[in-house]
Amino acid sequence: MSTEGQVCYTFEAAIEKAVEMEREGFRNYLGAIRKVKDKHAIGILKEAALDELQHKHMLEKALVEGFVEGEEGMAKPVPTMNLDYVLRVEELQADAGVREALAYAIHLEKGAIDFYQKMAQGCAGAPMAELFDHLLNDETRHLQALEDLYEKHFLDEM
């Protein structure tokens, strides 16, 4: 078990850690975009990749500014359906469609949520916990949007 989430970092170290996590998420989406052929699946993956870039940019700007802007809209988490428990984790293949792309994105977002939960728990009681809580809340919004899309198109088929 990793002790990564049991340590509270300085502001700069915490932001650097979050930037790396967002960069990795972007790279995962980029790899999937390059592999998948279905244009609708690519659209879903592109949108998710752009969300990762937006987070990364926000966090890098925080390194320069010394604080995170735009946190007001991330004050509360949103409920999710936890579809990651019923959808299998699979590497995307070239013939993957929208269903597989959504499942892939749902699992990546769930990974980000887990990361920010561990970071917030590791900093419980410290000012950095609030930053990670805000980032966690924003990731729940992304996950909810993906789950809503999955529900709209595929949940009745399960």
Side-chain angles (χ1 to χ4, degrees):
M1 180 176 177
S2 170
T3 58
E4 173 177 279
Q6 298 173 7
V7 176
C8 187
Y9 297 91
T10 64
F11 177 81
E12 186 172 317
I15 297 296
E16 290 283 357
K17 198 98 172 112
V19 165
E20 181 57 36
M21 197 278 310
E22 297 292 342
R23 181 181 299 119
E24 184 180 326
F26 172 76
R27 289 286 170 203
N28 287 329
Y29 284 121
L30 188 59
I33 290 165
R34 291 176 175 162
K35 189 182 293 185
V36 172
K37 304 295 182 215
D38 182 275
K39 69 178 183 177
H40 298 293
I42 290 170
I44 288 166
L45 295 168
K46 279 183 178 180
E47 187 175 324
L50 292 173
D51 284 342
E52 299 300 308
L53 280 180
Q54 186 177 28
H55 275 158
K56 183 176 156 289
H57 177 74
M58 176 192 73
L59 291 164
E60 289 172 332
K61 187 174 179 185
L63 285 172
V64 173
E65 300 292 336
F67 62 94
V68 177
E69 289 182 358
E71 292 182 67
E72 305 80 32
M74 300 184 285
K76 296 181 182 177
V78 296
T80 64
M81 292 181 271
N82 296 315
L83 286 181
D84 60 295
Y85 288 110
V86 296
L87 299 174
R88 292 187 315 193
V89 181
E90 294 181 5
E91 186 175 331
L92 287 180
Q93 303 301 316
D95 64 346
V98 172
R99 178 190 294 260
E100 294 85 6
L102 281 169
Y104 182 80
I106 285 168
H107 281 283
L108 285 180
E109 293 300 322
K110 178 63 170 126
I113 286 169
D114 292 345
F115 171 82
Y116 287 126
Q117 280 177 331
K118 287 177 185 173
M119 295 298 279
Q121 289 169 355
C123 292
M128 291 309 301
E130 187 175 339
L131 168 65
F132 289 121
D133 282 336
H134 287 306
L135 292 166
L136 170 64
N137 296 341
D138 197 40
E139 292 294 346
T140 64
R141 285 172 184 24
H142 293 167
L143 179 58
Q144 181 191 48
L146 291 166
E147 287 181 339
D148 287 349
L149 196 54
Y150 191 94
E151 178 183 35
K152 178 181 176 183
H153 294 288
F154 304 110
L155 207 53
D156 61 332
E157 294 178 16
M158 290 182 82

